[in-house]
Amino acid sequence: MAGFLYMPNTTQSNNPASLSYCIVVRCGPNQQSQSLSALQFTQELLAQGHTVMRVFFYQQAVLIASSLTVAPQDEASLTLQWQALAQEYDLELGVCIAGALHNGIVNPQECERYQLDGANLAQDFQLIGLGQLAAASAECDRLVSFGA
Amino acid sequence: MSCLISVTQSPYGSRSAKESLDAALVLAAFEQNPGLLFIDDGVLQLLPKGQQPSPHKHIGKIISALEMYDIDELWVETESLQELGLQAEQLSQPVKLICRQHLSELWSKYDQHLVF
């Protein structure tokens, strides 16, 4: 289920009604339209001058943080688009560490800890715990979750 | 800040049940007073018998630990219970029943709502 918020009159920049958001993405790259909704909603929030405290990738969405997926030439890569957004707005892309390890997404530290063959966490993503979701949800004005 | 977590998935059909309860436990550990609403197949997570989930985590055991985390707001949608042919007395925990037409009132009591 995706949460959508209707926000009238937020087109001007330096919007005084700017809010801080925490985005939870639960749908994987294969749930195409839902994954895209999460990305586009976040893009629009930032474009309208809102703050996104943290994007939290949970459940199937941890697969978006893999640097080893190759999109067909005529399709856009969700991973690259999130990375571009993170670089443009200094956005925090947090990936649930338990879900990541379960789904074969590891950073160099976890690779070493578990003696794995290689790390594949994409650049600009970081492995964090569920507690970071709880912390962000406590501080944000709006928590919006995407995924079924 | 309070968060209602709606649980819609059966205990072992996917990892969703485990992951939704993990989120509830962590929110409780951060003192955010999560409530749980069991709806649709999520009600099956409250069945006390017949869970032999090896090699998976035992969902029934996580459910029975909720009380230790002070998660005592457990809601079950009446219609979901009826559709599964169950009665509240058969569930592993004491729950509060709520019918579908009053769900929006429940949602409005919480600051946030996560659906799993």
Side-chain angles (χ1 to χ4, degrees):
Chain A
M1 181 177 289
F4 290 100
L5 293 173
Y6 175 66
M7 297 174 298
N9 301 324
T10 50
T11 44
Q12 70 272 35
S13 58
N14 295 325
N15 173 13
S18 122
L19 297 171
S20 72
Y21 282 77
C22 173
I23 306 291
V24 183
V25 190
R26 297 172 38 239
C27 41
N30 295 325
Q31 287 151 282
Q32 297 182 31
S33 66
Q34 292 193 49
S35 279
L36 202 54
S37 295
L39 173 73
Q40 291 177 337
F41 183 74
T42 308
Q43 284 172 333
E44 190 58 29
L45 284 180
L46 294 166
Q48 292 193 9
H50 295 285
T51 309
V52 176
M53 295 176 57
R54 177 170 293 144
V55 184
F56 190 80
F57 296 87
Y58 194 34
Q59 300 190 295
Q60 291 300 304
V62 300
L63 295 170
I64 295 171
S66 170
S67 63
L68 295 181
T69 45
V70 181
Q73 284 187 351
D74 54 351
E75 288 181 25
S77 156
L78 273 175
T79 309
L80 292 177
Q81 291 183 87
W82 277 112
Q83 286 174 319
L85 203 60
Q87 285 161 18
E88 186 177 348
Y89 290 97
D90 199 21
L91 183 63
E92 182 182 329
L93 305 179
V95 182
C96 172
I97 187 166
L101 292 174
H102 192 81
N103 285 283
I105 310 291
V106 286
N107 62 8
Q109 292 92 312
E110 299 305 313
C111 174
E112 197 180 328
R113 188 199 314 264
Y114 295 103
Q115 300 287 299
L116 304 174
D117 288 341
N120 64 340
L121 181 72
Q123 203 185 342
D124 302 311
F125 290 85
Q126 51 177 305
L127 299 185
I128 60 177
L130 260 178
Q132 300 292 97
L133 169 63
S137 78
E139 289 173 36
C140 68
D141 297 316
R142 297 285 186 273
L143 174 74
V144 185
S145 163
F146 292 85
Chain B
M1 195 64 82
S2 62
C3 184
L4 181 68
I5 296 179
S6 286
V7 176
T8 68
Q9 302 291 312
S10 63
Y12 305 107
S14 70
R15 288 182 58 80
S16 191
K18 165 81 169 47
E19 288 165 330
S20 58
L21 294 173
D22 281 349
L25 294 177
V26 170
L27 284 168
F30 278 69
E31 298 180 343
Q32 289 188 43
N33 311 315
L36 281 163
L37 168 65
F38 295 87
I39 191 166
D40 295 337
D41 284 353
V43 175
L44 296 171
Q45 295 184 27
L46 291 166
L47 283 183
K49 291 179 184 157
Q51 292 196 18
Q52 293 177 321
S54 176
H56 303 293
K57 281 258 173 34
H58 197 297
I59 295 297
K61 287 182 180 167
I62 304 177
I63 297 266
S64 61
L66 294 175
E67 198 182 352
M68 272 191 334
Y69 284 77
D70 292 328
I71 302 177
D72 41 22
E73 290 282 304
L74 303 182
W75 298 88
V76 169
E77 193 211 39
T78 315
E79 283 83 351
S80 301
L81 204 58
Q82 287 167 351
E83 282 159 18
L84 292 163
L86 296 169
Q87 290 175 338
E89 299 75 51
Q90 294 173 279
L91 304 178
S92 64
Q93 305 294 316
V95 296
K96 297 173 187 174
L97 295 176
I98 184 162
C99 59
R100 196 164 286 168
Q101 69 183 71
H102 290 130
L103 282 182
S104 58
E105 292 165 27
L106 179 64
W107 290 332
S108 67
K109 289 206 298 191
Y110 288 85
D111 299 314
Q112 297 170 342
H113 184 203
L114 277 172
V115 184
F116 284 90

